[in-house]
Amino acid sequence: MAQPERTDLTGRKVIYTDEEFVNRDNVIDILKKAKSIHDENSACIDYLYEYNNGNQPILNRVKEVRPEINNRIVANRANEITSFKVGYLLGEPLQYVSRDSKKENITEQITRLNEFMYSEDKAAKDKELADWFTICGTAYRMILPKNKVDDSPFSLFTLDPRQCFVVYYNGLGNKPVMGVKYVERGNKDIVYSVYTDTTYFEIVNDKIVKEESHILGMIPIVEYPANNARLGAFEVVIPLLDAYNLTISDRVNGLEQFVQSLIKFVNIDIDEEEFKSLKELGGIKFKSTSDNPADVNYITPELNQTNTQIILDDMYQTILTICGMPNRNGGSSTSDTGSAVIMRDGWEVAEAKAKDTELMFKKSEKQTLRLALKIAETLSDISLKVSDIDLRFTRRNYENISNKSTVLTSMLGSSKIHPKLAFQHCGMFADAELAYKISEEYAKEQEEKAAKATNGNSGGGNGKNNATEPIAE
């Protein structure tokens, strides 16, 4: 497969319009202008997607000197970066938890919402989103109500960012005014599905072929950018990744050229047939004189493997540092603690990068959640607000579990700290509110059991011991 033509890789462009409202009169003009910018983004996204899958420039390399020895090796570090970033960010499913338990039935309603998301395989679809924005800097999700409510009142879709975009108002707040996805039919016609907060348009060949109003009150397509620049995780180190592939390929070329060294003839005239015979027999007989000494040997320049390995290691460490990934130095010390290893090997930097991505993910997730709650309120008995719900990433809840349990025990032992604060700030629980509620109920059960046991021991016993014996006369 030929690799897409490389374009300037400096993040994806945000698509803006000066129109605050999109309607039948201006939707086609806005779409045309937006599509020209999207086409640039789409070309970059396709390049990065192919690059992540192993279709990299080294495969198209042309070698002019000894072209028969031209190893083209892809050491796919880009895919390694993507896999680590996605696995570290969403190795455990995102959870919705309560921000305020004072409202009636809020925990039960959030549990119901989580069940809706589970039935829609949201964890897997979050992973698909993360794959896209990690590779190309942005991703898109669509949420629509179901015609027939089953386990969930809404459906979630992960869209291909090469065929989807959102247009924002070029004014205060940059609110989204239009979401677009499109497909190419067999007859080469491109069908654009355009959503505003009130209307759905279907456009083919610059003509509106369908127009319907909807009651969502929001655009059902939500963008999930990885960062403000919409840069992919490995995009900034592509020159280093290309150099890494080139160095490894040349290293193998050097080894192969050493094995297949050229033969040098000094003062010996040999024709093609004799050379073929030499290759078959493996030897040659010749005469020499003191005036014209003859010589036959191999030209054997050998690549310095030690120096090459130093260069490769340095490039790899630079790639890891720039991308915020833990290194592979394998160092150890008898005095290492868990925290020391985390700091030394770069895991703290990886966590900082993940938290930065979390903030962007949560911002977009709230838009999806707002629409999901609106659909759920209409089609089910859930009545929640976004402000009632907190989003939790649970990947590190069980690190340093001994220290966290010690903090929890110490805080619970203080008469000046409310037990709920101890659960919230110890870091052990993904849903501190639910953990506190379950623990409170359990503590009450144990107190009631202990009270019954105490009452039974004080009021029980056999009749002989408690009866008053008659006084002997």
Side-chain angles (χ1 to χ4, degrees):
M1 180 186 295
Q3 190 187 41
E5 183 180 355
R6 177 172 173 174
T7 54
D8 292 333
L9 298 174
T10 54
R12 314 290 77 76
K13 295 180 180 178
V14 184
I15 304 175
Y16 293 108
T17 179
D18 293 333
E19 301 291 340
E20 187 174 1
F21 301 100
V22 178
N23 51 46
R24 184 181 181 86
D25 297 329
N26 60 14
V27 63
I28 294 179
D29 289 336
I30 296 174
L31 178 62
K32 286 181 179 179
K33 294 176 182 178
K35 184 64 166 54
S36 63
I37 301 174
H38 166 72
D39 287 342
E40 297 178 25
N41 288 341
S42 182
C44 294
I45 291 171
D46 197 42
Y47 182 90
L48 292 168
Y49 181 74
E50 291 290 335
Y51 197 101
N52 179 77
N53 292 345
N55 188 10
Q56 300 180 10
I58 190 67
L59 297 177
N60 301 323
R61 179 192 185 190
V62 176
K63 190 167 176 281
E64 296 181 356
V65 179
R66 299 198 72 183
E68 73 278 6
I69 299 177
N70 184 16
N71 290 281
R72 291 172 286 191
I73 299 173
V74 175
N76 201 345
R77 298 294 186 184
N79 186 269
E80 175 191 355
I81 294 168
T82 300
S83 299
F84 173 80
K85 293 286 187 180
V86 174
Y88 189 72
L89 180 69
L90 290 170
E92 296 292 335
L94 180 70
Q95 290 188 1
Y96 296 139
V97 300
S98 172
R99 293 186 68 248
D100 185 5
S101 62
K102 294 180 181 178
K103 295 184 179 180
E104 186 178 356
N105 296 329
I106 191 162
T107 302
E108 290 79 3
Q109 291 190 68
I110 291 177
T111 300
R112 183 94 182 277
L113 177 63
N114 279 318
E115 290 173 354
F116 289 164
M117 296 299 180
Y118 176 80
S119 67
E120 287 299 307
D121 293 319
K122 184 175 182 295
K125 292 173 183 177
D126 284 345
K127 194 266 181 187
E128 292 174 1
L129 274 178
D131 281 338
W132 277 117
F133 67 63
T134 302
I135 293 170
C136 61
T138 193
Y140 297 89
R141 167 174 281 162
M142 188 173 191
I143 177 169
L144 291 173
K146 289 184 177 179
N147 294 328
K148 182 180 179 181
V149 179
D150 46 23
D151 293 337
S152 173
F154 49 77
S155 297
L156 296 173
F157 305 94
T158 303
L159 305 179
D160 188 332
R162 293 171 293 185
Q163 298 177 335
C164 179
F165 58 91
V166 173
V167 181
Y168 299 88
Y169 172 56
N170 189 20
L172 185 63
N174 299 128
K175 68 173 183 177
V177 294
M178 186 171 79
V180 182
K181 71 178 186 70
Y182 60 91
V183 294
E184 184 177 338
R185 288 179 176 166
N187 59 3
K188 302 301 181 182
D189 285 342
I190 298 179
V191 181
Y192 294 93
S193 299
V194 180
Y195 293 88
T196 71
D197 56 355
T198 59
T199 311
Y200 166 74
F201 298 98
E202 194 169 289
I203 299 174
V204 182
N205 295 326
D206 297 336
K207 294 181 180 179
I208 300 175
V209 297
K210 188 176 183 179
E211 180 180 358
E212 294 178 349
S213 60
H214 63 77
I215 59 172
L216 297 176
M218 296 175 60
I219 298 170
I221 298 175
V222 180
E223 183 177 11
Y224 283 71
N227 44 66
N228 287 332
R230 289 160 172 78
L231 278 165
F234 59 83
E235 187 171 343
V236 292
V237 293
I238 281 182
L240 278 169
L241 296 174
D242 290 341
Y244 194 91
N245 287 341
L246 183 63
T247 304
I248 288 183
S249 299
D250 282 343
R251 188 181 194 177
V252 179
N253 283 347
L255 179 62
E256 190 172 346
Q257 287 173 170
F258 175 74
V259 173
Q260 301 181 21
S261 298
L262 298 174
I263 301 177
K264 178 179 68 176
F265 297 88
V266 179
N267 291 325
I268 295 177
D269 188 13
I270 185 170
D271 59 24
E272 183 176 351
E273 291 300 323
E274 291 175 329
F275 183 70
K276 288 181 179 178
S277 177
L278 165 65
K279 291 174 66 178
E280 292 175 0
L281 298 174
I284 187 172
K285 180 181 179 181
F286 60 89
K287 294 181 180 180
S288 64
T289 65
S290 57
D291 295 333
N292 294 305
D295 184 30
V296 179
N297 57 38
Y298 284 96
I299 302 175
T300 58
E302 185 177 0
L303 191 66
N304 189 312
Q305 296 293 331
T306 302
N307 291 343
T308 304
Q309 187 61 49
I310 291 173
I311 294 171
L312 284 171
D313 290 343
D314 181 66
M315 283 194 290
Y316 184 48
Q317 289 301 322
T318 303
I319 289 169
L320 295 180
T321 301
I322 293 174
C323 293
M325 292 176 62
N327 59 47
R328 306 291 191 273
N329 59 22
S332 62
S333 169
T334 56
S335 61
D336 272 355
T337 62
S339 298
V341 172
I342 288 171
M343 294 295 290
R344 184 197 65 214
D345 289 352
W347 286 95
E348 196 65 28
V349 177
E351 178 65 13
K353 289 275 190 179
K355 286 182 177 178
D356 180 61
T357 305
E358 277 184 23
L359 294 175
M360 298 297 294
F361 192 97
K362 286 182 177 180
K363 181 180 178 182
S364 299
E365 186 71 7
K366 286 179 181 178
Q367 296 182 47
T368 298
L369 188 57
R370 189 171 285 109
L371 185 52
L373 292 177
K374 186 170 185 178
I375 295 172
E377 185 176 5
T378 303
L379 301 179
S380 68
D381 56 353
I382 287 182
S383 59
L384 292 169
K385 296 180 180 179
V386 174
S387 57
D388 297 329
I389 302 170
D390 193 12
L391 289 80
R392 292 286 175 85
F393 289 81
T394 60
R395 64 182 175 277
R396 296 190 70 180
N397 284 92
Y398 301 105
E399 287 187 4
N400 296 324
I401 191 70
S402 178
N403 293 339
K404 291 177 181 179
S405 61
T406 301
V407 171
L408 176 63
T409 304
S410 299
M411 294 178 75
L412 289 175
S414 174
S415 60
K416 297 182 179 180
I417 299 177
H418 194 285
K420 186 181 290 187
L421 295 176
F423 278 80
Q424 290 175 347
H425 295 285
C426 69
M428 286 181 64
F429 309 104
D431 190 345
E433 199 72 42
L434 180 61
Y436 172 74
K437 183 176 180 180
I438 294 173
S439 300
E440 185 181 32
E441 292 174 354
Y442 176 75
K444 288 180 179 178
E445 289 176 3
Q446 297 306 308
E447 289 176 0
E448 291 174 358
K449 288 180 181 179
K452 290 180 180 179
T454 302
N455 292 336
N457 290 335
S458 62
N462 56 50
K464 292 182 179 180
N465 293 333
N466 292 328
T468 302
E469 295 183 0
I471 300 175
E473 295 181 358

